[in-house]
């Protein structure tokens, strides 16, 4: 035990026995050590407290220091009452009284500690404070102004209540009812007095009322007053009335706006005569307003059921279409407009227009709202106007037709309606004389349609005429009103343009005409494709002979066609030399056939996965006596123009078959060879007999169709020859697929073995995601039709790797093998055989 500890029952130094005290008590040293204590203290602080302990250790931290300070001050005679608490969540609170007493056996004095338990009072006070705080915060947060009025004259108005009226915390307010009523809007005063009287009487119907009160700034605010009498005196008179005020000015303003809007909408609806409906599909009913019931002749007390009345009113010719259309739009949950007819009671037909909006409400129910209006009178007027318009147009058309026929017969082309050659010559002479709309500077565009003859040959003159009319329309749409366009014969056109020396303008017009004429056109369900070549000559003065200028444009046109067609060329003096060279080359080409100067080169093709030789394409070459080896771009256009392209195709095939036989005898032959065949050759009725004489082994030869524009045609001769090729086991390949020539219809009609993707689509495959997607799409289309795919233009190993991954079957290009002569290809085939052996 501690040296000065004593038993709880031992009397204190002054002889006071604290054991018999009913409240907690103890004798303490000035430093807080318990000398003696009674049982009540132990019960209050817990059984762990014992004499010798420091009482401060059993208190909350701040209270421990406070006790020790009080003990020191008590010894000095300072006040000795304080409040302390025990630690922990279930703390107890005490009022402590300290009384000092000198000890008889020590120089150190002792202090008598007496404790009163105020835990219950402290908790009640805390709850009251919490409730008051909670209600204060709730009232402030709800923007409610609180007022409290007593019959004694005591008044209370919260800060929010004052703020509603523009008052500060210390501003005065009218003390009497009469003075306050002066602030109420004159139109509301009588009603307010009545409401207050009924509210004070406890009438629940008047517990809430609204009125306007003058704000301190001079405007009126709408106030919603809620109040009740909470105390009455002995005479049952109101002794205390408490309530809240709320500023509802914004709400009133919104209500007034909505009321005005509602009035305007009602007026608009009444004037327009529309009917409004709302349909609940889950309930199976539809709510119709008076307008709807008037339009559909429905009694006001009749309930409209879905699937009943409205459907029965639909005109028989419109019912199926209207119901299907409405069902589709409801399923899509999209707003829609519809026009339909209904049958009235008297049997007449009424025209209805509707706007509807299907939607899902907040409960997930499918509903639809909309408006209908009767447009029968509008429809009648529209029909009358249409009839009058048609009559007027018919009269005007007849007059215009008479005038045009007279003009057409003299100066215009009968088919296209464009000026003819005679009119063109007059226009040029007019320009030379300085008359007419054309200025001193003019440009001549001589236009010739590419592939027009093939369209005429395969689809007939009806298709050709349609394309000529289309070409004329394109020309009209791309020149100014002051310019001039004429058809001078066949598929040739001439355009005269005002020219100020700006050649970029001429280029833009020429490019626009070429681009539009290259677009596909349709005739009797058949796709037609043609193009345009343009020769351009121009001058800024009238010194030149118009006929010479026209001839210059013709020479430029010849150059454009010679350089590949579907392009424009300007006349230059050198063009005359080119024309002479071309004429000379055409004569030499005819002699080349007689002298056996045309021969094949071969470009090997490879399996995309194994890189094994899969075939070889035969490419025509001309061994010119003075100019050396010429590629096909130098002579095939001339051969086509002079009608000897099919002869060259046949010659190349014969020589390729001899080379293939030589390779086969040596054991190095590729699995097959492919040769080009023109569309003109496919129309040759003797093609079958000529091929049968060549003894072609099945599966070793494929024909590449160069002009796949004709694959969409149902020409009987072409289809017959294609069937014959299949019977001879000659494969059919489409060349240059993907550049706008062949179509899906062509693939289905032709049923080729292979299609070759044009090098233009292959070129950017390593760098372009879009190009890879396009090529992949072509491959997938081919796969779905059971067609193999060859990729041309494989220039790099990356090309080959990507194309193999995309699913190509065969690869061909300079990156794998250049076109070479029979001997060079033979050597390469031998080397590959040796490497494999």
């Amino acid at each position: 035990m501690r040296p000065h500890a004593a038993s709880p029952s031992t009397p204190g130094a002054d002889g006071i026995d604290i054991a018999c005290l009913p409240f907690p008590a103890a004798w303490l040293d000035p430093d807080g050590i318990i000398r003696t204590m009674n049982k009540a203290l132990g019960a209050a602080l817990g059984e762990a407290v014992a004499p010798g302990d420091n009482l401060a250790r059993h208190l909350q931290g701040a209270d421990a220091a406070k006790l020790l300070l009080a003990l020191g001050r008590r010894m000095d005679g300072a006040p000795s009452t304080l409040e302390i608490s025990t630690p922990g969540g279930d703390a107890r609170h005490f009022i402590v009284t300290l009384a000092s007493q000198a000890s008889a056996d020590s120089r150190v004095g002792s202090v008598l500690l007496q404790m009163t338990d105020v835990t219950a009072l402290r908790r009640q006070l805390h709850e009251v404070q919490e409730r008051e705080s909670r209600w204060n915060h709730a009232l402030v947060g709800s923007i409610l102004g609180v007022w409290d009025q007593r019959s004694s004259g005591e008044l209370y108005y919260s800060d929010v209540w004052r703020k509603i009226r523009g008052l500060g915390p210390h501003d005065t307010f009218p003390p009497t009812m009469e003075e306050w009523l002066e602030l109420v809007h004159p139109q509301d005063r009588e009603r307010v007095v009545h409401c207050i009287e009924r509210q004070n009487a406890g009438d629940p119907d008047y517990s809430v009322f609204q009125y306007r009160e003058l704000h301190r700034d001079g405007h009126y605010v709408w106030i919603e007053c809620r109040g009740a009498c909470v105390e009455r005196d002995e005479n049952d008179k109101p002794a205390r009335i408490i309530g809240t005020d709320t500023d509802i000015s914004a709400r009133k303003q919104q209500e007034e706006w909505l009321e005005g809007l509602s009035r305007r909408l009602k007026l608009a609806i009444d004037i327009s005569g529309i009917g409004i409906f709302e349909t609940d599909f889950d309930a199976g009913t539809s709510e119709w307003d008076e307008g709807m019931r008037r339009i559909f002749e429905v009694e006001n007390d009749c309930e409209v059921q879905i699937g009943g009345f409205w459907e029965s009113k639909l005109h028989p010719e419109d019912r199926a279409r209207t119901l299907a259309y409405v069902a589709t739009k409801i399923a899509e949950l999209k707003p829609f407009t519809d026009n339909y007819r209904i049958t009235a009671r008297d049997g007449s037909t009424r025209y209805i227009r509707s706007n509807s909006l299907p939607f899902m409400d907040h409960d997930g129910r499918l509903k639809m709202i909309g408006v209908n209006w009767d447009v029968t009178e509008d429809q009648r007027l529209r029909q009358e106007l249409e009839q009058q318009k048609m009559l007027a147009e018919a009269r005007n058309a007849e007059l215009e037709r008479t005038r045009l026929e007279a003009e057409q017969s003299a100066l215009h082309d009968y088919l296209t309606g464009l000026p003819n050659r005679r009119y063109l010559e007059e226009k040029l002479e007019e320009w030379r004389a300085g008359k007419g709309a054309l200025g001193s500077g003019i440009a001549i565009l001589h236009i010739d349609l590419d592939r027009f003859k093939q369209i005429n040959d395969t689809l007939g003159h009806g298709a050709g005429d349609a394309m000529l009319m289309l070409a004329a329309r394109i020309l009209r749409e791309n020149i100014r009103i002051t310019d001039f366009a004429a058809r001078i014969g066949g598929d040739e056109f001439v355009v005269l343009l005002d020219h100020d020396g700006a050649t970029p303008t001429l280029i833009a017009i020429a490019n626009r005409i070429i681009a539009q004429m290259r677009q596909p056109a349709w005739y009797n369900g058949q796709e037609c494709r043609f193009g345009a070549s343009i020769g351009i000559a121009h001058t800024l003065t009238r010194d030149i002979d118009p006929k010479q200028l026209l001839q210059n444009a013709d020479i430029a046109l010849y150059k454009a066609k010679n350089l590949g067609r579907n392009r424009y060329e300007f006349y230059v003096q050198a063009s005359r030399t080119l024309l002479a060279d071309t004429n000379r080359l055409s004569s030499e080409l005819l002699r080349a056939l007689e002298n056996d100067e045309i021969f094949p080169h071969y470009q090997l093709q490879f399996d995309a996965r194994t890189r094994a030789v899969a075939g070889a394409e035969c490419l025509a070459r001309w061994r010119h006596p003075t100019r050396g080896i010429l590629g096909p771009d130098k002579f095939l256009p001339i051969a086509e123009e002079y009608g000897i392209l099919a002869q060259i195709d046949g010659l190349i095939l014969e020589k390729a078959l001899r080379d293939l036989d030589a390779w086969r005898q040596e054991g190095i032959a590729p699995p097959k060879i492919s040769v080009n065949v023109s569309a003109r050759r496919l129309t040759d009725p003797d093609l079958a007999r000529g091929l049968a004489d060549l003894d072609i082994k099945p599966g070793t030869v494929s024909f590449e169709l160069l002009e796949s524009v004709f694959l969409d045609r149902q020409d009987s001769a072409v289809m017959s020859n294609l069937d014959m090729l299949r019977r001879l086991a000659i494969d059919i390949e489409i060349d240059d697929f993907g550049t706008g020539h062949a179509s899906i219809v062509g693939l289905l009609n032709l049923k080729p073995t292979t299609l070759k993707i044009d090098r233009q689509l292959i070129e950017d495959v390593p760098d372009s995601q879009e190009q890879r997607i396009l090529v992949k799409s072509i491959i997938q289309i081919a796969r779905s039709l059971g067609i193999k795919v060859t990729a041309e233009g494989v220039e790099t190993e990356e090309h080959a790797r990507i194309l193999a991954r995309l699913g190509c079957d065969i690869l061909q290009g300079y990156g794998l093998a250049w076109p070479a002569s029979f001997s060079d290809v033979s050597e390469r085939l031998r080397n590959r055989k040796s490497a494999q052996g």
Side-chain angles (χ1 to χ4, degrees):
M1 293 189 65
R2 295 180 179 88
H4 54 279
S7 169
S9 59
T10 303
D14 60 351
I16 297 175
D17 186 2
I18 62 175
C20 59
L21 295 178
F23 47 80
W27 284 98
L28 304 178
D29 287 346
D31 57 359
I33 301 299
I34 300 174
R35 296 174 60 83
T36 59
M37 56 178 279
N38 62 6
K39 292 182 178 180
L41 180 65
L45 298 181
E47 296 300 330
V49 180
D53 290 345
N54 192 321
L55 181 61
R57 290 201 301 268
H58 297 278
L59 304 179
Q60 291 186 4
D63 290 352
K66 186 165 61 175
L67 175 64
L68 294 177
L69 180 62
L71 286 172
R73 289 179 177 177
R74 180 63 237 176
M75 295 304 297
D76 296 333
S80 57
T81 300
L82 68 155
E83 182 178 344
I84 61 174
S85 302
T86 61
D90 55 348
R92 300 184 66 182
H93 305 274
F94 301 93
I95 298 297
V96 174
T97 301
L98 300 175
S100 61
Q101 176 71 38
S103 175
D105 56 353
S106 174
R107 289 178 300 172
V108 180
S110 60
V111 179
L112 176 62
L113 175 140
Q114 303 175 65
M115 299 171 57
T116 302
D117 192 338
V118 294
T119 301
L121 290 175
R122 172 58 66 183
R123 288 175 180 171
Q124 291 174 5
L125 178 60
H126 178 72
E127 290 175 0
V128 170
Q129 291 173 338
E130 280 293 313
R131 284 197 299 271
E132 181 179 3
S133 173
R134 188 178 301 115
W135 282 110
N136 283 337
H137 283 92
L139 289 172
V140 172
S142 62
I143 321 179
L144 295 176
V146 180
W147 50 268
D148 186 354
Q149 300 174 350
R150 301 174 187 262
S151 59
S152 62
E154 183 181 352
L155 303 176
Y156 168 77
Y157 301 112
S158 70
D159 291 343
V160 175
W161 186 95
R162 291 175 175 274
K163 185 177 180 181
I164 291 173
R165 292 159 172 81
L167 300 175
H170 304 295
D171 290 337
T172 60
F173 191 76
T176 66
M177 178 75 164
E178 290 72 16
E179 291 178 294
W180 172 74
L181 282 174
E182 290 298 320
L183 299 177
V184 175
H185 195 284
Q187 297 177 1
D188 298 342
R189 288 173 188 168
E190 185 177 347
R191 179 173 54 81
V192 166
V193 171
H194 177 69
C195 290
I196 291 175
E197 290 175 353
R198 299 308 307 155
Q199 193 178 80
N200 292 344
D203 190 338
D205 293 337
Y206 290 86
S207 61
V208 180
F209 64 90
Q210 299 171 357
Y211 68 95
R212 286 165 288 181
E213 186 173 330
L214 188 64
H215 192 274
R216 186 172 187 176
D217 292 341
H219 65 276
Y220 283 95
V221 292
W222 273 98
I223 295 175
E224 184 174 78
C225 175
R226 296 175 180 269
C229 179
V230 296
E231 292 181 10
R232 293 185 178 274
D233 59 16
E234 64 276 5
N235 297 320
D236 201 31
K237 298 293 183 180
R240 186 180 184 185
I241 304 171
I242 296 178
T244 61
D245 284 358
T246 307
D247 184 349
I248 60 171
S249 300
R251 190 176 81 194
K252 280 293 184 178
Q253 185 178 6
Q254 182 70 11
E255 289 174 356
E256 183 178 353
W257 180 84
L258 290 174
E259 184 178 355
L261 177 61
S262 179
R263 286 195 301 268
R264 291 193 295 273
L265 287 176
K266 185 178 185 305
L267 180 61
I269 291 171
D270 292 341
I271 293 174
S272 66
I274 66 174
I276 302 174
F277 70 89
E278 180 171 354
T279 299
D280 187 332
F281 292 100
D282 292 341
T285 59
S286 187
E287 294 292 334
W288 286 14
D289 73 346
E290 293 182 3
M292 283 288 291
R293 293 176 181 273
R294 182 186 67 254
I295 294 171
F296 288 89
E297 303 171 313
V298 188
E299 300 298 333
N300 288 336
D301 57 351
C302 180
E303 186 179 58
V304 180
Q305 295 287 336
I306 298 176
F309 178 77
W310 178 75
E311 289 77 3
S312 69
K313 294 287 288 185
L314 292 174
H315 192 283
E317 295 178 3
D318 293 352
R319 184 176 294 120
R321 178 200 63 78
T322 301
L323 293 177
Y325 179 70
V326 171
T328 299
K329 293 301 179 182
I330 291 173
E332 296 175 349
L333 288 180
K334 291 183 177 179
F336 62 95
T337 299
D338 195 15
N339 293 279
Y340 57 88
R341 295 170 291 174
I342 64 172
T343 304
R345 286 179 181 174
D346 60 6
S348 62
T349 298
R350 312 295 294 174
Y351 290 81
I352 307 298
R353 180 169 298 148
S354 69
N355 285 338
S356 305
L357 172 64
F359 65 97
M360 302 293 293
D361 70 5
H362 62 279
D363 292 327
R365 296 166 67 91
L366 177 60
K367 293 184 177 181
M368 182 168 68
I369 60 173
V371 296
N372 282 208
W373 61 97
D374 189 332
V375 294
T376 304
E377 186 63 20
D378 294 343
Q379 185 69 19
R380 184 186 65 79
L381 292 174
R382 187 180 298 107
Q383 290 174 348
E384 290 182 1
L385 290 174
E386 286 292 334
Q387 290 175 355
Q388 294 299 324
K389 180 182 177 183
M390 290 174 61
L391 289 174
E393 288 178 348
R395 296 191 190 98
N396 293 335
E398 186 63 29
L399 293 173
E400 183 69 10
R401 188 180 304 110
T402 302
R403 185 186 68 80
L404 288 176
E405 286 176 356
E407 182 179 337
Q408 291 282 347
S409 62
L411 297 174
H412 286 76
D413 172 47
Y414 74 95
L415 176 64
T416 64
L418 290 177
N420 55 21
R421 179 181 286 275
R422 175 184 168 187
Y423 198 167
L424 171 65
E425 292 172 352
E426 290 185 6
K427 197 74 174 177
L428 287 172
E429 287 300 325
E430 192 178 83
W431 164 77
R432 189 178 189 183
K435 302 176 181 178
L438 292 171
S440 60
I442 66 168
I444 296 181
L445 276 62
H446 193 170
I447 303 163
D448 184 78
L449 302 186
D450 299 327
R451 296 189 296 276
F452 174 75
K453 186 176 185 304
Q454 291 88 332
I455 293 176
N456 251 345
D457 292 343
T458 56
L459 292 180
H461 292 288
D465 290 347
M467 298 306 107
L468 289 173
M469 288 188 286
L470 173 60
R473 179 174 64 80
I474 291 173
L475 292 181
R476 288 192 189 97
E477 293 174 350
N478 285 279
I479 62 175
R480 297 161 295 188
I481 191 170
T482 55
D483 298 328
F484 181 87
R487 179 189 176 205
I488 61 174
D491 60 347
E492 293 185 64
F493 299 83
V494 168
V495 173
L496 303 183
L497 304 172
D498 268 321
H499 180 52
D500 58 2
T503 55
T505 302
L506 301 179
I507 293 173
I509 294 174
N511 279 330
R512 194 161 59 243
I513 292 173
I514 292 171
Q516 292 185 23
M517 288 194 179
R518 291 185 64 180
Q519 298 301 313
W522 294 87
Y523 177 77
N524 288 343
Q526 296 293 318
E527 185 182 30
C528 302
R529 288 182 180 269
F530 65 94
S533 298
I534 302 178
I536 306 174
H538 56 84
T539 179
L540 294 175
T541 66
R542 293 187 174 92
D543 296 339
I544 188 172
D545 183 351
K547 293 181 180 179
Q548 181 63 55
L549 191 63
L550 191 60
Q551 186 182 54
N552 291 346
D554 185 54
I555 293 173
L557 170 63
Y558 187 85
K559 179 181 178 183
K561 295 176 71 69
N562 189 63
L563 292 176
R565 304 172 186 262
N566 271 316
R567 59 184 293 148
Y568 67 85
E569 287 293 331
F570 282 89
Y571 170 78
V572 293
Q573 186 61 37
S575 298
R576 291 185 178 273
T577 304
L578 174 64
L579 179 60
D581 291 343
T582 301
N583 290 333
R584 183 173 62 255
L585 191 64
S586 62
S587 300
E588 292 175 347
L589 182 58
L590 293 173
R591 287 196 300 270
L593 289 173
E594 298 173 357
N595 298 334
D596 196 25
E597 295 172 359
I598 306 299
F599 66 99
H601 266 200
Y602 300 94
Q603 186 173 28
L604 293 177
Q605 300 168 331
F606 300 88
D607 186 285
R609 286 165 290 281
T610 65
R611 299 295 177 88
V613 174
E617 180 181 0
C618 302
L619 305 169
R621 296 290 187 269
W622 180 6
R623 187 179 290 105
H624 193 277
T626 59
R627 298 172 60 182
I629 304 298
L630 300 182
D633 58 312
K634 302 297 184 184
F635 62 90
L636 287 186
I638 298 174
E640 181 180 6
E641 184 175 350
Y642 283 87
I644 59 175
L645 183 59
Q647 185 178 351
I648 292 176
D649 287 347
L651 177 64
I652 291 297
L653 175 60
E654 292 177 10
K655 292 187 176 184
L657 289 174
R658 288 197 297 269
D659 291 343
L660 181 62
D661 187 59
W663 284 331
R664 190 179 293 117
Q665 292 178 15
E666 196 175 344
I668 57 173
K672 71 170 184 177
I673 58 172
S674 58
V675 294
N676 294 316
V677 60
S678 65
R680 184 178 299 232
R681 194 175 186 207
L682 285 178
T683 62
D684 183 1
D686 297 327
L687 177 62
R689 184 169 56 253
L691 293 176
D693 294 340
L694 294 177
D695 189 26
I696 299 174
K697 290 183 170 30
T700 61
V701 174
S702 65
F703 277 12
E704 290 190 16
L705 306 184
L706 295 178
E707 297 178 10
S708 52
V709 65
F710 298 105
L711 301 182
D712 296 341
R713 315 293 183 240
Q714 297 293 333
D715 183 86
S716 58
V718 172
M719 299 309 292
S720 175
N721 279 332
L722 291 177
D723 290 339
M724 178 273 301
L725 292 178
R726 296 187 186 94
R727 289 194 298 273
L728 292 175
I730 295 176
D731 291 341
I732 300 170
E733 298 184 12
I734 297 179
D735 199 7
D736 298 337
F737 186 84
T739 57
H741 298 299
S743 69
I744 302 301
V745 174
L747 292 179
L748 294 173
N749 291 339
L750 181 61
K751 302 180 182 64
T753 306
T754 305
L755 62 82
K756 300 180 73 174
I757 302 177
D758 188 80
R759 67 182 68 250
Q760 295 180 42
L761 300 182
I762 300 299
E763 181 179 1
D764 294 329
V765 161
D767 304 316
S768 172
Q769 176 70 14
E770 293 180 354
Q771 289 295 95
R772 291 196 292 272
I773 293 173
L774 177 59
V775 171
K776 181 66 175 179
S777 300
I778 294 174
I779 294 171
Q780 290 174 342
I781 291 173
R783 288 281 181 272
S784 67
L785 299 176
I787 300 172
K788 293 182 179 180
V789 178
T790 297
E792 295 183 298
V794 180
E795 306 291 342
T796 65
E797 181 60 33
E798 187 176 7
H799 274 108
R801 179 180 54 80
I802 293 174
L803 292 167
R805 189 178 72 243
L806 292 178
C808 278
D809 299 293
I810 306 297
L811 304 178
Q812 178 180 343
Y814 295 155
L816 301 175
W818 283 72
S821 65
F822 169 76
S823 59
D824 291 340
V825 174
S826 298
E827 183 64 24
R828 179 165 185 174
L829 292 173
R830 293 187 194 100
N831 292 337
R832 289 182 66 90
K833 181 179 180 181
S834 299
Q836 293 171 357

